[in-house]
């Protein structure tokens, strides 16, 4: 893993919540928590519209979203917990959805370079608007294209290898071969020692991830609706 991540990347165990720590054993402008600078009314209106479009996408293209409801704060907290707040490297998010996690991550890691990939162009535009209203839009590059295309660009050295890849892509909807191909592409794209963080609503793909990565741990998030599980997988340094 690059030195860009700092000593925190070498002592990553300290950055995980207590139940995740066992994995290693087997913008200059902060987000305003009271609402966007453009006003509570505008933010609430855009948020409801974004959730509605996510719901429609979940009904029409369930194979892409994998859910009818966006991730809630309990799940988002566990997804971004391993990333140090002062991290300065590159982070890739796949399947950004409504951008709720993107926004929290941009606020938590203001000095990181964050690339958010969302295949649905309508949701991708919503994410850009959401980030701009929160004052963190300049810290994130949002792109609307398939995850495999983005990962291929990294593998071909067109883009820098990230130290973290976070994914909300519904692996269970892809089919066995496609899911395995995506996991392997994520592994190839990650920097050595990098962390792949994936949430799902089942444990069906656990073996695929465990077979690909050097170390892996799962954490249930029962307070999310619907309940979810987070996979933390680390790529070998060598």
């Amino acid at each position: 893993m690059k030195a860009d991540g700092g000593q925190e990347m070498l002592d990553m165990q300290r950055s995980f919540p207590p139940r995740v720590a066992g994995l290693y054993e087997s913008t200059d402008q902060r987000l305003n928590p009271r609402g966007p600078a453009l006003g509570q009314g505008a933010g609430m209106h855009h948020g409801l519209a974004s959730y509605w479009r996510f719901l429609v996408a979940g009904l029409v293209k369930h194979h892409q979203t994998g859910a009818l409801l966006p991730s809630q704060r309990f799940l988002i907290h566990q997804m971004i917990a391993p990333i140090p707040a002062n991290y300065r490297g590159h982070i890739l998010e796949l399947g950004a959805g409504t951008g709720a996690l993107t926004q929290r991550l941009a606020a938590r890691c203001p000095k990181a370079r964050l690339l958010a990939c969302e295949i649905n162009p309508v949701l991708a535009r919503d994410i850009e608007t959401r980030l701009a209203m929160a004052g963190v839009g300049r810290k994130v590059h949002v792109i609307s294209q398939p995850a495999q295309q983005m990962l291929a660009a990294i593998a071909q050295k067109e883009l820098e290898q990230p130290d973290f890849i976070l994914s909300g892509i519904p692996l269970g909807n892809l089919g066995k071969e496609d899911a395995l191909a995506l996991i392997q592409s994520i592994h190839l794209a990650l920097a050595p020692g990098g962390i792949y963080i994936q949430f799902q609503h089942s444990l069906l793909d656990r073996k695929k991830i465990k077979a690909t990565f050097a170390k892996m741990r799962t954490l249930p998030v029962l307070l999310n609706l619907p309940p979810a599980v987070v996979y933390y997988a680390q790529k070998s340094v060598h």
Side-chain angles (χ1 to χ4, degrees), residues 10-54:
L10 300 177
D11 299 326
M12 186 63 67
Q13 181 175 358
R14 300 175 184 175
S15 299
F16 279 85
R19 296 182 64 185
V20 185
L23 171 65
Y24 290 91
E25 299 174 359
S26 42
T27 100
D28 294 332
Q29 180 179 3
R30 297 269 181 185
L31 173 67
N32 178 3
R34 296 188 177 181
L38 296 183
Q40 288 286 351
M44 182 176 295
H45 176 76
H46 176 264
L48 292 174
S50 181
Y51 282 130
W52 170 252
R53 284 188 282 270
F54 185 88

Side-chain angles (χ1 to χ4, degrees), residues 10 17-18 35 39 42 46 52 55 67 70 80 95 97 105 109 116 129 149 152 155 160 169 173 206 216 230 238:
L10 300 177
H46 176 264
W52 170 252
L55 174 61
I80 68 176
L105 185 56
C109 306
T129 301
Q149 186 175 338
E160 180 183 353
I169 295 176
N173 291 355
R206 184 177 183 275
M216 190 200 74
V230 179
H238 303 292

Side-chain angles (χ1 to χ4, degrees), residues 12 18-20 43 57-58 61 100 116-117 127 136 141 150 162 197 203 237:
M12 186 63 67
R19 296 182 64 185
V20 185
K61 297 183 177 181
C117 182
I127 294 171
V136 294
H141 182 62
M150 176 67 63
I197 305 171
L203 292 169
V237 177

Side-chain angles (χ1 to χ4, degrees), residues 125-216:
R125 288 193 295 270
D126 280 348
I127 294 171
E128 291 182 327
T129 301
R130 177 178 191 147
L131 296 175
M133 295 176 71
V136 294
R138 288 182 294 178
K139 301 298 180 180
V140 184
H141 182 62
V142 181
I143 188 166
S144 180
Q145 65 177 226
Q148 283 283 23
Q149 186 175 338
M150 176 67 63
L151 295 169
I154 297 174
Q156 295 167 9
K157 301 188 184 302
E158 297 175 11
L159 296 171
E160 180 183 353
Q161 282 186 302
D163 289 318
F164 295 95
I165 295 181
L166 295 84
S167 172
I169 295 176
L171 299 176
N173 291 355
L174 299 182
K176 181 178 179 180
E177 297 303 322
D178 288 342
L180 184 58
L182 178 61
I183 293 169
Q184 291 174 342
S185 295
I186 290 172
H187 181 271
L188 183 63
L190 265 177
I195 306 295
Y196 164 42
I197 305 171
Q198 170 79 53
F199 87 83
Q200 294 287 274
H201 295 294
S202 75
L203 292 169
L204 294 178
D205 295 289
R206 184 177 183 275
K207 290 184 179 180
K208 300 184 186 71
I209 298 175
K210 189 173 183 178
T212 305
F213 284 82
K215 298 177 182 179
M216 190 200 74

